[in-house]
Amino acid sequence: MNVSLVSLLLLTALAVGSPSVLADSIDDVPTGFLKPSTGGLPTNAWGGTSLGTAKRLVAALPAAPRSRALRDLQFRVMVSELTPPARDGSPEPTMLRRKVERLAAMGEGESLNEMVRSAGAYVDPGIATMTSNALMMSGEPASACAVVTRHDLIQTFAARALAACQAFAGDSAGALAAAPDLRASDPQLAVLLQSAASGKPTAGVPAGPLDGPAMVMFALARVRPPAAALQSNDPPMIRAVVADRSLPIVTRVEAGERGEASAIIEATRLSDLYVLAVRDGAAMPAAMARRARLVAAARNASNAEEIMQSLVAVYGEARGSPLFATIARASASSLLTLPAKPEYANVAQEAIRGLLLLGDRSLTQTWVKLALSSVANNARAILALDRMLPLIAIAGVDNARLPSVGEVNRWYDLMQQDDPARAPRRGYLLVELLRATGAMPAGATALPETPPGGVRGIPPPAATLQALQAAAAGHRRAETALLGSIAIGETALADLHPAAVGTIVRAVRDAGEDQAARLFAIEVAIAQGL
């Protein structure tokens, strides 16, 4: 277990063990801030789910599900203004407390702050402690210190947080005054306080908890955190490293790439880091430097011709790489501004693949029409489009037109030519995705109808899939959404079993989240080489 997660679990244990001043009646009222009109789920999304079940599901959520689509869906469930399930005598902690714990584990400090504030929950020292820590880890020390100085916190955390906030506010005298008291209980923080006050980075910092106050002080003292922090895949720690401007840009980019690929940070944040690294001429490993230059060129392109050329370079370089989806999303701002004109038809396939990852159906449809109009008498363009048509169908770009048997068979022929060994698995995955999204053509295709020999993949626990299917059949929207995330956990999308993927896609669609289900299907399809 990595050190940042240990620190988070310690904070949670302290908070849960603390006396709560919020009655369990807090679960009688909505505690989110997203309304249906602003992207939230329908207010009745918990309909049919008991409060005890809802609490168990929230507590079981993965901190970093590998699907951005399902991660965003679980986030929406937790921050939407939903009518809560009726109280059923389920034991504490409250539903709100469980949501606070999970949002903190996901590294969602800013959104957590908004939810707690809107619920009036800062009167609870445990919730105030977890939220202020999450804000510090998210690179928001000003917001965190507003909580620290205005609300009661768990005492063991409060002294450390207050000292870090005094240092952040430039109160060197106050921070130094706290150092002697911390020397015995937290020698790491005491040394960092003295280093920040003197302006002289120090070596040999003692080991200590890597939580919010510690990460604020590492940045203020301009001391490099230990390797365990820099290499951690824990969402709060990745966010802290990405936000720490005192670290070398290459360290922040490396954490940003891992974070974007795991749906922990936004693609725009990584894109900003790439541009900064290129602008400053940072020394980076060759592969990282090339990725950074490609994305920066796409971001800095000033006209459509430059945008087109940069996108061809980005997609041509990244295709087949595990980081393809990350690089495609990081360069998305340029893609969204490229007009779909006939003279840009030769970049249509690249544009379509990127837009499918972004979930933008309208723009995808525009580029599909352009691609279709430009393939006549162009064998290379026809082949490129044949590769894309099944993905376009899965995404639901044009629900009025299903792929034909011939189109599906041509796609499978291409897969067999490209990689005969992997073609059966990819063909079977396509069967599952086409059926799950209602895009399977009538009539027999050449695709494998059953798992071909040698198909491997990691299936979720059978009990989880059964619960997912039961929730979807009962149209229990929020319950189904959370079970989808729980089912994949932190399994890499490339390792998921095709049949399990089909089950999840179908269930999430049946529960009313069609767009999230289709985007998840596209993520898996691209991750597994379709």
Side-chain angles (χ1 to χ4, degrees):
M1 186 180 296
N2 63 53
V3 285
S4 60
L5 183 54
V6 170
S7 299
L8 179 61
L9 291 175
L10 177 61
L11 276 172
T12 302
L14 287 170
V16 170
S18 66
S20 174
V21 298
L22 283 178
D24 62 359
S25 60
I26 189 69
D27 284 342
D28 292 339
V29 295
T31 51
F33 57 83
L34 277 186
K35 301 178 184 296
S37 60
T38 56
L41 270 66
T43 57
N44 64 350
W46 279 120
T49 304
S50 70
L51 182 58
T53 297
K55 287 180 180 181
R56 287 193 297 274
L57 292 176
V58 170
L61 287 172
R66 291 302 184 258
S67 162
R68 183 167 294 274
L70 295 186
R71 194 263 186 201
D72 288 348
L73 184 55
Q74 86 174 33
F75 171 78
R76 287 173 57 218
V77 171
M78 288 194 288
V79 301
S80 291
E81 195 176 76
L82 306 180
T83 301
R87 276 193 281 172
D88 57 3
S90 55
E92 289 195 358
T94 63
M95 177 75 154
L96 175 63
R97 179 71 75 100
R98 291 190 183 277
K99 291 200 294 182
V100 168
E101 291 168 6
R102 284 294 86 198
L103 286 169
M106 291 169 66
E108 289 287 351
E110 302 95 319
S111 296
L112 176 54
N113 180 36
E114 186 171 352
M115 185 180 75
V116 171
R117 185 174 57 241
S118 66
Y122 272 123
V123 296
D124 186 308
I127 287 177
T129 295
M130 285 188 281
T131 306
S132 58
N133 182 72
L135 283 166
M136 289 181 176
M137 295 296 287
S138 296
E140 299 290 339
S143 296
C145 291
V147 177
V148 169
T149 56
R150 296 173 190 170
H151 302 284
D152 292 334
L153 278 65
I154 304 300
Q155 192 54 46
T156 50
F157 178 83
R160 302 173 63 255
L162 183 58
C165 287
Q166 288 172 321
F168 173 72
D171 181 5
S172 298
L176 285 173
D181 293 335
L182 290 170
R183 212 166 267 132
S185 61
D186 192 344
Q188 172 185 263
L189 198 66
V191 169
L192 292 172
L193 285 167
Q194 291 172 328
S195 177
S198 67
K200 298 177 181 178
T202 184
V205 177
L210 293 177
D211 58 1
M215 296 310 293
V216 168
M217 289 311 307
F218 272 113
L220 289 175
R222 304 189 71 80
V223 172
R224 187 179 180 87
L230 301 179
Q231 297 165 4
S232 172
N233 288 321
D234 188 44
M237 186 56 70
I238 281 184
R239 289 199 172 208
V241 171
V242 167
D244 187 352
R245 290 184 172 85
S246 71
L247 290 173
I249 188 64
V250 66
T251 301
R252 298 170 67 198
V253 169
E254 194 277 331
E257 288 187 335
R258 284 186 288 115
E260 203 290 330
S262 299
I264 294 168
I265 70 164
E266 301 78 10
T268 51
R269 191 76 179 272
L270 175 60
S271 181
D272 290 343
L273 292 177
Y274 281 145
V275 171
L276 183 62
V278 172
R279 186 200 70 186
D280 293 348
M284 293 179 281
M288 179 188 291
R290 180 160 179 78
R291 290 192 294 270
R293 287 195 297 270
L294 287 169
V295 172
R299 277 271 302 266
N300 294 330
S302 58
N303 57 62
E305 186 66 28
E306 289 180 358
I307 293 173
M308 185 190 73
Q309 292 173 355
S310 66
L311 287 175
V312 170
V314 166
Y315 289 107
E317 172 77 14
R319 185 172 296 129
S321 162
L323 284 174
F324 169 78
T326 289
I327 303 307
R329 285 187 291 255
S331 58
S333 61
S334 298
L335 178 59
L336 295 174
T337 61
L338 183 65
K341 295 182 177 180
E343 56 263 39
Y344 304 139
N346 60 339
V347 78
Q349 284 74 36
E350 284 81 2
I352 290 167
R353 189 174 288 268
L355 290 167
L356 287 172
L357 274 172
L358 297 175
D360 194 317
R361 291 186 187 178
S362 177
L363 274 177
T364 304
Q365 191 168 35
T366 299
W367 279 92
V368 168
K369 290 178 180 177
L370 175 62
L372 287 169
S373 68
S374 66
V375 297
N377 302 317
N378 186 332
R380 186 174 179 180
I382 292 172
L383 286 175
L385 190 58
D386 281 343
R387 294 178 186 276
M388 298 302 305
L389 284 175
L391 293 185
I392 292 166
I394 291 167
V397 172
D398 185 0
N399 288 324
R401 181 191 179 280
L402 298 182
S404 68
V405 170
E407 287 168 341
V408 172
N409 288 346
R410 285 199 300 274
W411 175 88
Y412 192 47
D413 285 343
L414 291 170
M415 291 298 105
Q416 291 175 308
Q417 293 170 28
D418 288 347
D419 193 335
R422 291 187 175 91
R425 176 190 172 95
R426 291 170 178 170
Y428 176 57
L429 174 62
L430 183 61
V431 168
E432 292 288 349
L433 295 181
L434 288 173
R435 285 187 173 147
T437 56
M440 192 70 183
T445 69
L447 299 178
E449 291 285 333
T450 56
V455 165
R456 295 182 177 86
I458 300 174
T464 303
L465 287 181
Q466 290 168 3
L468 173 69
Q469 290 171 305
H475 302 288
R476 299 192 293 275
R477 192 165 185 159
E479 184 177 334
T480 304
L482 298 192
L483 281 165
S485 271
I486 292 168
I488 66 167
E490 297 187 5
T491 303
L493 299 184
D495 295 333
L496 287 171
H497 195 284
V501 173
T503 298
I504 295 168
V505 171
R506 187 178 293 106
V508 175
R509 286 190 72 224
D510 288 347
E513 290 293 335
D514 180 76
Q515 185 171 358
R518 290 180 183 275
L519 184 52
F520 169 60
I522 291 297
E523 290 175 330
V524 176
I526 289 178
Q528 298 202 12
L530 270 64

